[in-house]
Amino acid sequence: MGERFHDIAVTVNGEPVRERVDARKTLVDFLRETLALTGTHIGCEQGLCGACSVRLDGEVVRGCLTLAVQCDGARVDTIEGVSDTGEIADLQAAFEKRNALQCGYCTPGMLLTAQELLRGGALPSREKIRDHISGNYCRCTGYQAIVDAIEAVARQRAEARR
Ligand code: FES
Ligand code: FES
């Protein structure tokens, strides 16, 4: 039988972290319980709702389907990190302005997923935005305001690049 505990070295929000983790610990539990980064939420724990979305080496992944040990040597960015750097300040402002959040449970995952779509300078259609966030469930807003906010930021960023 393999070892139950493993030493991992991860860069979380730019900070080096070394921890001994249970082989079965998920990334979202590691972030929330070990590092007290509770901005990443837990919903379904089955990869369906997107509440646990975080970035792993630049790609948005499900924190509930990723094991902490799999992140050894990787870079993890959470909502706290991208908020602190100001990377998504415009998205956060647009979500607030357009009432694109109510309870806020889905919001961290939704913002990271939206940023994934817009990061390369995309100016996506509303259909493309809907498609991209389709793995992130929101029980409150009906999505319209979320799509409005993401579309507004895409346009804003395109204007700023001119
Ligand atoms: S908690 Fe991970 S996808 Fe729902
Ligand atoms: S704002 Fe409540 S789940 Fe999206």
Side-chain angles (χ1 to χ4, degrees):
M1 212 155 83
E3 292 284 319
R4 175 151 174 206
F5 291 92
H6 298 263
D7 292 319
I8 61 168
V10 195
T11 303
V12 181
N13 298 329
E15 298 288 330
V17 172
R18 286 182 179 275
E19 288 287 344
R20 172 156 286 215
V21 294
D22 190 314
R24 296 171 301 182
K25 200 171 193 74
T26 61
L27 175 57
V28 68
D29 284 343
F30 174 68
L31 292 168
R32 292 177 56 87
E33 294 168 5
T34 309
L35 304 184
L37 292 169
T38 54
T40 307
H41 293 157
I42 301 175
C44 66
E45 295 185 89
Q46 298 178 41
L48 299 173
C49 74
C52 62
S53 301
V54 291
R55 279 203 312 234
L56 180 61
D57 283 337
E59 300 282 319
V60 174
V61 298
R62 303 291 206 221
C64 71
L65 296 185
T66 308
L67 293 171
V69 289
Q70 292 176 284
C71 304
D72 187 28
R75 196 182 78 244
V76 176
D77 298 302
T78 69
I79 191 66
E80 289 90 347
V82 293
S83 298
D84 287 351
T85 60
E87 179 186 334
I88 57 163
D90 51 1
L91 273 168
Q92 289 169 307
F95 268 54
E96 191 180 347
K97 184 172 167 205
R98 291 168 184 269
N99 294 322
L101 67 150
Q102 288 175 30
C103 79
Y105 206 82
C106 69
T107 311
M110 200 64 90
L111 287 166
L112 280 168
T113 304
Q115 174 65 355
E116 179 185 46
L117 176 64
L118 302 188
R119 202 154 53 146
L123 194 50
S125 64
R126 290 180 72 82
E127 194 186 357
K128 176 77 187 148
I129 294 170
R130 282 189 180 279
D131 184 56
H132 194 79
I133 63 168
S134 62
N136 291 72
Y137 292 2
C138 177
R139 289 171 185 267
C140 307
T141 65
Y143 299 98
Q144 192 72 19
I146 293 175
V147 176
D148 289 348
I150 297 170
E151 186 181 39
V153 171
R155 290 204 177 132
Q156 218 171 283
R157 289 186 186 181
E159 278 294 313
R161 282 194 299 273
R162 280 192 185 175

